[in-house]
Amino acid sequence: MQIININNIIDIIIQLFFISISFWCIKDIHLEKYIYMHENQFKLLITLLSIMIGFSCGSFFIWIINIFYSFS
């Protein structure tokens, strides 16, 4: 049986947290006023944008944490 590294679990939790925060923020902007699409296309656009932004922010946050760990 393999041992799961606690850092990997923390990384996944951080990524999911930032993806959910970005989904919540993008959903409240109401982009449907500015972009005319079908409803399903619009939902997919919001989902993909939130994954992209959340993953980028989460990766940056994890990178900063790893920098602080490397100094100690």
Side-chain angles (χ1 to χ4, degrees):
M1 191 163 117
Q2 294 179 348
I3 298 173
I4 298 175
N5 193 354
I6 191 72
N7 290 336
N8 294 337
I9 294 173
I10 292 172
D11 290 351
I12 291 172
I13 291 171
I14 289 172
Q15 293 290 350
L16 290 175
F17 173 74
F18 278 103
I19 289 172
S20 63
I21 292 294
S22 65
F23 181 77
W24 178 61
C25 291
I26 290 174
K27 197 169 102 173
D28 286 342
I29 293 176
H30 296 292
L31 292 173
E32 64 270 4
K33 295 177 185 177
Y34 309 110
I35 302 173
Y36 299 106
M37 294 182 170
H38 294 293
E39 185 177 346
N40 291 334
Q41 290 175 333
F42 187 70
K43 288 179 182 179
L44 182 64
L45 176 68
I46 288 176
T47 304
L48 292 176
L49 280 175
S50 63
I51 290 171
M52 182 182 68
I53 293 170
F55 182 78
S56 299
C57 294
S59 297
F60 177 74
F61 189 74
I62 292 168
W63 178 67
I64 295 295
I65 289 173
N66 288 334
I67 287 176
F68 285 130
Y69 279 137
S70 67
F71 287 132
S72 59

